[in-house]
Amino acid sequence: MSIVIVVLSILFLSAIGYAILRGCHLLSAKDNLIAIGASYGLGVGLVSAQLYLYSLMYVPWEREFILIPWIVLFLFVLVKNRKRIKIVFPQISSWKRLDLLILLGMVLTVSYVIFEALLRPVVAWDAWANWLMQAKVFFWEGMIRPDMLTYMESEYPLTINLLGTFIYLMLGKVDDTVVLLTSTAFYLFLTITFFAALRKKYSLRYALLFTFLLMATQNFVRHGGRLEAGLADLPLGYFAFVSIVFLFEYFKKRTIQTLVLLTVFLSLTSLIKFEGIFLSVFIILCASVHIIRHKLYYQFLILGLWILPFISWQFDRKVMDLQGSYSTNHGLEVSVDKTLHALSGTLKELFNIKSWGLLWIMYFFSLFSFGIRSDKAVFVLNAIILSQFGLYLLIYNVTAWHNPESSIERLLMHIAPLVFYSLAIVVHNKIFRY
């Protein structure tokens, strides 16, 4: 029964996001698959914000208080747009045998990830000590208390923690096994968005093939099911990729609706982990260059709103006097040995075929073979990927207790979907072209 409740909760979150996307006409009807892929992340962000605001206003975290506003909104959107909302499923019967074989591989991979998620409770220390610990405490207390955050020495944004709390509230109890399905959902909705983005540009078989390669990469499988390295890294990769999809849509359309979507997902990206704020900044810079080139200066008023939720959280941290381990224990240390260690540890992970396959080897090979500017989209992707990658190397070089062995595998997850997308474009443009 717990599994059913969690699955229904995930579908409910997706329905909230989908209702907003369709009700506000933020995406065209032909982008239905992208809307489905983005709906889960939007729903997660909205419900997390709802719980946070309820806590500030002392509104009880009762199921009816949480669910009824969204149910009313969903019904209103459904009635108002009943003639426009059409969910069209692919005509699989017309697919060729090889396409069906790839699809079967994708279904089996997702099934394995779900099995892994339900096989055991969370095993990673990061998840126990941070993400799920806070989720459980919030659930037991029925609110967010500053003294709890101070005691747990936490200064991370609370989006992922409150997602766990929402699941516990729907269950009516703590269950550290079925809650892992929320990460499986990030894995699934990432693949849906990835496939939708490729399918808009390329053939069905090509989109299926690269989506399967992403899904079957061991690190994505582990983060989607086993969660060996915490709960926030795959979600950050998901939000960053969805932001990139909307960035490219904005490049093409330059509409206010697309810019609003981009701004919302950039805000959510910055509220997952601190690494997300830098990813958001790099994407913002790309959007800003586009705005300046096309002299759409008034759109800076919308784009600038992305930072407000993060600033609000920083203000709340100051009010609650949260000074966690992240800000107090990260001294600076620069040395030749540390630089060599950072480079060697990072290179070792990039060549870790067991975890990543040939992903990073092929990516850097494509950079040396075809250059950074082989395509406008590829140039933007490379600028963001290499900027974030360089930031991680800088952190390893100048901070006292960061080292690649403890975190590089997780950090690379943030930009790995972008790397897959970049490779898909390069391979198509330079090799296959079909």
Side-chain angles (χ1 to χ4, degrees), residues 123-241:
V123 297
W125 169 252
D126 189 32
W128 273 112
N130 189 358
W131 310 111
L132 287 185
M133 173 63 74
Q134 291 188 30
K136 284 182 277 194
V137 173
F138 296 159
F139 167 73
W140 288 325
E141 293 290 334
M143 64 182 300
I144 302 169
R145 285 173 36 195
D147 58 328
M148 296 186 304
L149 297 176
T150 303
Y151 177 77
M152 290 183 285
E153 293 189 334
S154 173
E155 56 181 20
Y156 279 121
L158 302 180
T159 303
I160 298 300
N161 313 81
L162 290 172
L163 170 60
T165 301
F166 171 76
I167 296 299
Y168 294 148
L169 289 169
M170 296 302 103
L171 287 170
K173 62 179 182 180
V174 169
D175 189 327
D176 282 342
T177 299
V178 294
V179 73
L180 301 188
L181 288 175
T182 57
S183 284
T184 305
F186 276 114
Y187 170 84
L188 179 59
F189 283 93
L190 170 63
T191 59
I192 291 173
T193 311
F194 187 84
F195 171 78
L198 285 183
R199 186 66 185 95
K200 285 191 69 173
K201 298 169 65 73
Y202 308 122
S203 68
L204 171 66
R205 183 171 301 172
Y206 193 80
L208 284 171
L209 177 61
F210 262 89
T211 304
F212 176 68
L213 290 175
L214 179 145
M215 294 175 65
T217 300
Q218 186 60 223
N219 236 9
F220 283 96
V221 171
R222 289 210 306 270
H223 282 257
R226 299 177 188 174
L227 295 173
E228 294 180 0
L231 283 164
D233 299 294
L234 179 59
L236 182 52
Y238 162 85
F239 280 107
F241 182 76

Side-chain angles (χ1 to χ4, degrees), residues 89-357:
F89 294 96
Q91 298 295 322
I92 297 180
S93 58
S94 63
W95 289 14
K96 295 184 179 180
R97 190 170 300 177
L98 181 57
D99 301 329
L100 293 173
L101 186 62
I102 299 173
L103 179 63
L104 176 61
M106 295 167 66
V107 172
L108 292 175
T109 304
V110 171
S111 301
Y112 175 75
V113 171
I114 295 173
F115 172 76
E116 284 288 342
L118 298 176
L119 187 62
R120 64 182 75 85
V122 63
V123 297
W125 169 252
D126 189 32
W128 273 112
N130 189 358
W131 310 111
L132 287 185
M133 173 63 74
Q134 291 188 30
K136 284 182 277 194
V137 173
F138 296 159
F139 167 73
W140 288 325
E141 293 290 334
M143 64 182 300
I144 302 169
R145 285 173 36 195
D147 58 328
M148 296 186 304
L149 297 176
T150 303
Y151 177 77
M152 290 183 285
E153 293 189 334
S154 173
E155 56 181 20
Y156 279 121
L158 302 180
T159 303
I160 298 300
N161 313 81
L162 290 172
L163 170 60
T165 301
F166 171 76
I167 296 299
Y168 294 148
L169 289 169
M170 296 302 103
L171 287 170
K173 62 179 182 180
V174 169
D175 189 327
D176 282 342
T177 299
V178 294
V179 73
L180 301 188
L181 288 175
T182 57
S183 284
T184 305
F186 276 114
Y187 170 84
L188 179 59
F189 283 93
L190 170 63
T191 59
I192 291 173
T193 311
F194 187 84
F195 171 78
L198 285 183
R199 186 66 185 95
K200 285 191 69 173
K201 298 169 65 73
Y202 308 122
S203 68
L204 171 66
R205 183 171 301 172
Y206 193 80
L208 284 171
L209 177 61
F210 262 89
T211 304
F212 176 68
L213 290 175
L214 179 145
M215 294 175 65
T217 300
Q218 186 60 223
N219 236 9
F220 283 96
V221 171
R222 289 210 306 270
H223 282 257
R226 299 177 188 174
L227 295 173
E228 294 180 0
L231 283 164
D233 299 294
L234 179 59
L236 182 52
Y238 162 85
F239 280 107
F241 182 76
V242 175
S243 298
I244 284 294
V245 170
F246 291 135
L247 175 68
F248 288 155
E249 285 294 303
Y250 174 67
F251 284 170
K252 290 190 297 183
K253 299 177 180 178
R254 298 195 290 274
T255 61
I256 296 298
Q257 293 91 330
T258 309
L259 185 60
V260 168
L261 270 178
L262 174 61
T263 303
V264 169
F265 273 88
L266 286 174
S267 294
L268 292 173
T269 302
S270 68
L271 291 176
I272 303 299
K273 293 184 70 177
F274 286 111
E275 294 87 345
I277 191 69
F278 299 104
L279 263 170
S280 299
V281 168
F282 296 140
I283 297 173
I284 285 288
L285 290 175
C286 295
S288 298
V289 170
H290 188 80
I291 289 175
I292 293 172
R293 286 185 61 187
H294 292 86
K295 299 181 180 180
L296 303 171
Y297 304 115
Y298 68 95
Q299 295 190 359
F300 275 120
L301 296 174
I302 297 174
L303 188 63
L305 296 176
W306 75 275
I307 194 64
L308 293 183
F310 184 79
I311 291 176
S312 175
W313 168 243
Q314 296 305 308
F315 176 77
D316 290 344
R317 278 185 55 237
K318 295 298 182 183
V319 171
M320 293 185 286
D321 194 27
L322 296 181
Q323 295 296 329
S325 58
Y326 192 91
S327 60
T328 58
N329 295 335
H330 289 209
L332 296 179
E333 177 185 303
V334 180
S335 67
V336 175
D337 288 340
K338 189 167 183 61
T339 299
L340 293 176
H341 179 71
L343 291 173
S344 62
T346 302
L347 285 174
K348 182 179 178 181
E349 181 61 29
L350 295 177
F351 284 91
N352 186 352
I353 295 177
K354 180 180 178 181
S355 293
W356 295 106

Side-chain angles (χ1 to χ4, degrees), residues 374-408:
S374 61
D375 176 275
K376 179 182 177 181
V378 172
F379 174 69
V380 171
L381 286 167
N382 285 333
I384 296 169
I385 292 167
L386 295 177
S387 296
Q388 192 76 1
F389 187 76
L391 174 68
Y392 295 153
L393 283 178
L394 177 64
I395 291 173
Y396 290 138
N397 274 281
V398 301
T399 54
W401 73 297
H402 274 115
N403 61 81
E405 288 81 359
S406 65
S407 60
I408 188 61

